[in-house]
Amino acid sequence: MAFDIENGIIRRYVGAEEEVRVPNGVTAIFDNAFSESKHVKRVILPAGLKSVGHWAFNRCQLLESVVLPEGLESIGRSAFRSCIRLRDIVLPSTLTTLGGKAFEFCKSIQRADIPAGIREIGDKTFSNCSALCAVTIPGGVARIGGWAFEGCIGLESVAIPDSVSAVGEGAFLDCAGLQTVTVGKGVRTVGGDAFSGTPWLEENGDDFFAINGNLLRYTGRAKWVVVPSSITAICAEVFERCREMEGVVLPDSVTRIGDGSFEGCPALRRAELHSRITELGNGVFELCKGLEQVAVRGLLADVDRAAPLWRTHTALYGETCTALTVYLPVSCGASFRTVFHADEHGVHAGFSRYFSLFRKTGDTDAKIQMALARLVSPHQPEPGELEDYRSFLTEHLREAMRLFLARGDLFPVRALGALGLIGEDAIGDLTQMAAEAKNAEISAYLLAYKREHFGFHAPTFDL
């Protein structure tokens, strides 16, 4: 017998027929049962069949037609994968499970009508079905998996119903003929590259292109990018390799940031986020070698406003400031992830991990900025940390002043003063440096600081 049948389950087919009629009484086709058959062109499955297993007809490259009976409930993962001649396929209305990669690389399938009982279209279910030109997604589907229709170059239009809440990564990637997409109002999550390579997305002229608050693409060339308040999620790799972007401000409406959202932005120096972000992807700032400053709004709500640290903070930022600003070492994509983490309650800063980064960093300029940013934060450092930060800055005052003068930045100089780190023995030297740099603003501040703290007996310099 060509069939190895046990308790109504076909374990293996070993025949050489081109047309195979599976006997009545069979209720299941086991995993790999027909896999890589070199003869089968047509298969007729019996009434009463309930399931087709994983890889059941995988790589049956002569298979052209399969009759799937009503009553069939489940098609397993990769069940018909790489059946490159399969074209006549009708999914029965009783189907409730359609496994990932079920029809991947079925290059001759032209139409896919998803039954109403399907709740999820699995990952890569119809990936690279290049002849697929029509697909119907019913109202019961809640999720379209990653790369579900990737490379379906014949697909020209698709309607995503309101029931769908999530569209996975690369779901319609490189669907080169996809001109029209109707997106249901229920879609709340869109994975990275979900529609990349489609005319529907690529030919849109707007700087910001979003679906129901999910930012899919940014094509602007602004140096400072202010994301609109209508955006609730930054999809993966949206700003990847935006070479001109020097700064970005995310509104409080954003709660999710996808993997690699700002990866490889060489000019990015400052990013401003907020503490209500609940999902923070991997490699958000990976390879952003110029990024130094990250401000997170809302992280100061629980600090002790009676502590001296708060007085220093408000002296610099004002009473209404709620943003915590930290500096990160060069190539800080990885260190950002180390310092900041997110959960269902929002973004948190791991200051002990920040201190570990500070101690490991060999770049003096980076350590100056890290120490100063931590000292002007009103979050109380762990015992010993405060002393280490202050000692480092005291020992490197000249290097710090040289760095801030090169940038023409008064604020960190004011911060050194507010922290009481500019002593009488150093004020003359620092003032001389400012005068030689011809920075009137910093020079004026240092002279005023000298008069206030040390009186007129300290040496002065003509500007």
Side-chain angles (χ1 to χ4, degrees):
M1 181 183 290
F3 298 105
D4 176 8
I5 301 178
E6 181 182 339
N7 297 325
I9 300 173
I10 292 182
R11 296 279 178 180
R12 187 66 181 163
Y13 170 74
V14 292
E17 294 85 356
E18 290 186 357
E19 179 172 295
V20 176
R21 187 178 294 270
V22 174
N24 290 328
V26 170
T27 59
I29 297 175
F30 198 64
D31 298 351
N32 293 294
F34 289 82
S35 181
E36 300 193 22
S37 171
K38 300 184 184 303
H39 305 284
V40 177
K41 290 186 177 181
R42 177 175 171 82
V43 175
I44 302 171
L45 302 175
L49 185 72
K50 297 298 183 184
S51 67
V52 175
H54 306 311
W55 307 284
F57 294 90
N58 177 53
R59 291 183 62 82
C60 290
Q61 296 195 354
L62 296 181
L63 183 62
E64 297 177 355
S65 175
V66 175
V67 178
L68 301 173
E70 287 294 318
L72 181 66
E73 298 173 353
S74 173
I75 294 177
R77 186 171 182 81
S78 300
F80 295 93
R81 186 176 185 270
S82 294
C83 293
I84 59 176
R85 289 180 170 81
L86 182 62
R87 61 179 182 274
D88 300 326
I89 188 77
V90 178
L91 301 176
S93 63
T94 51
L95 196 67
T96 57
T97 301
L98 185 57
K101 299 186 179 182
F103 296 98
E104 185 181 23
F105 296 115
C106 290
K107 297 181 178 181
S108 299
I109 290 180
Q110 297 181 0
R111 183 175 185 87
D113 294 317
I114 312 296
I118 297 294
R119 295 293 174 263
E120 178 175 342
I121 301 173
D123 294 353
K124 296 190 175 183
T125 299
F126 294 96
S127 175
N128 290 291
C129 292
S130 54
L132 185 67
C133 58
V135 61
T136 302
I137 303 174
V141 172
R143 179 180 181 271
I144 299 174
W147 304 280
F149 297 93
E150 174 197 9
C152 293
I153 60 177
L155 195 61
E156 295 182 355
S157 67
V158 66
I160 300 174
D162 291 347
S163 61
V164 173
S165 62
V167 178
E169 181 178 359
F172 295 91
L173 176 66
D174 293 335
C175 290
L178 190 58
Q179 298 276 355
T180 304
V181 179
T182 304
V183 181
K185 60 186 179 182
V187 173
R188 290 292 172 264
T189 304
V190 180
D193 288 325
F195 296 92
S196 294
T198 68
W200 177 71
L201 175 64
E202 304 298 344
E203 294 176 5
N204 185 283
D206 296 338
D207 285 355
F208 296 94
F209 186 90
I211 294 177
N212 296 347
N214 290 270
L215 183 61
L216 270 66
R217 191 186 64 160
Y218 171 75
T219 56
R221 300 177 66 88
K223 288 188 175 182
W224 278 85
V225 178
V226 179
V227 175
S229 60
S230 58
I231 301 301
T232 58
I234 308 297
C235 295
E237 302 174 355
V238 167
F239 294 96
E240 183 184 23
R241 298 183 180 87
C242 286
R243 305 194 67 82
E244 298 89 356
M245 182 170 63
E246 297 180 6
V248 62
V249 179
L250 300 187
D252 290 355
S253 55
V254 171
T255 58
R256 302 188 308 277
I257 302 179
D259 295 346
S261 300
F262 302 92
E263 181 179 349
C265 296
L268 186 62
R269 296 183 295 105
R270 177 183 169 89
E272 186 172 318
L273 319 178
H274 69 90
S275 62
R276 289 189 290 193
I277 294 168
T278 56
E279 295 180 26
L280 194 60
N282 293 313
V284 171
F285 294 111
E286 198 72 31
L287 302 178
C288 293
K289 295 184 178 181
L291 180 62
E292 297 173 344
Q293 193 172 349
V294 178
V296 183
R297 301 187 303 277
L299 278 179
L300 306 185
D302 57 349
V303 299
D304 181 3
R305 283 166 166 71
L309 289 173
W310 178 252
R311 290 197 294 273
T312 301
H313 181 80
T314 54
L316 293 166
Y317 293 100
E319 291 284 348
T320 59
C321 177
T322 61
L324 170 68
T325 300
V326 300
Y327 284 88
L328 298 175
V330 175
S331 301
C332 69
S335 55
F336 171 81
R337 180 77 174 181
T338 301
V339 173
F340 293 103
H341 60 283
D343 58 23
E344 66 274 15
H345 302 296
V347 172
H348 307 277
F351 292 115
S352 61
R353 289 176 288 182
Y354 183 82
F355 184 63
S356 296
L357 280 173
F358 167 76
R359 299 194 69 176
K360 291 177 182 177
T361 300
D363 186 328
T364 299
D365 287 354
K367 295 189 77 165
I368 288 169
Q369 294 171 99
M370 290 184 75
L372 188 58
R374 184 64 184 93
L375 288 174
V376 297
S377 159
H379 290 274
Q380 184 67 42
E382 293 295 321
E385 291 183 11
L386 185 66
E387 291 75 12
D388 281 7
Y389 287 131
R390 291 182 65 90
S391 295
F392 181 83
L393 287 172
T394 301
E395 293 168 7
H396 294 84
L397 269 179
R398 283 186 59 84
E399 292 94 331
M401 183 59 65
R402 186 177 295 110
L403 174 65
F404 303 145
L405 284 170
R407 297 182 176 181
D409 192 351
L410 172 63
F411 181 84
V413 180
R414 288 181 55 227
L416 291 172
L419 291 166
L421 295 174
I422 302 177
E424 185 172 0
D425 57 339
I427 187 66
D429 191 22
L430 300 183
T431 306
Q432 179 67 48
M433 290 176 66
E436 291 174 355
K438 301 186 185 307
N439 189 308
E441 188 177 36
I442 293 177
S443 296
Y445 169 77
L446 290 172
L447 289 170
Y449 180 89
K450 180 178 60 176
R451 286 195 297 270
E452 179 180 352
H453 291 83
F454 311 121
F456 286 96
H457 67 278
T460 59
F461 299 90
D462 294 329
L463 298 180

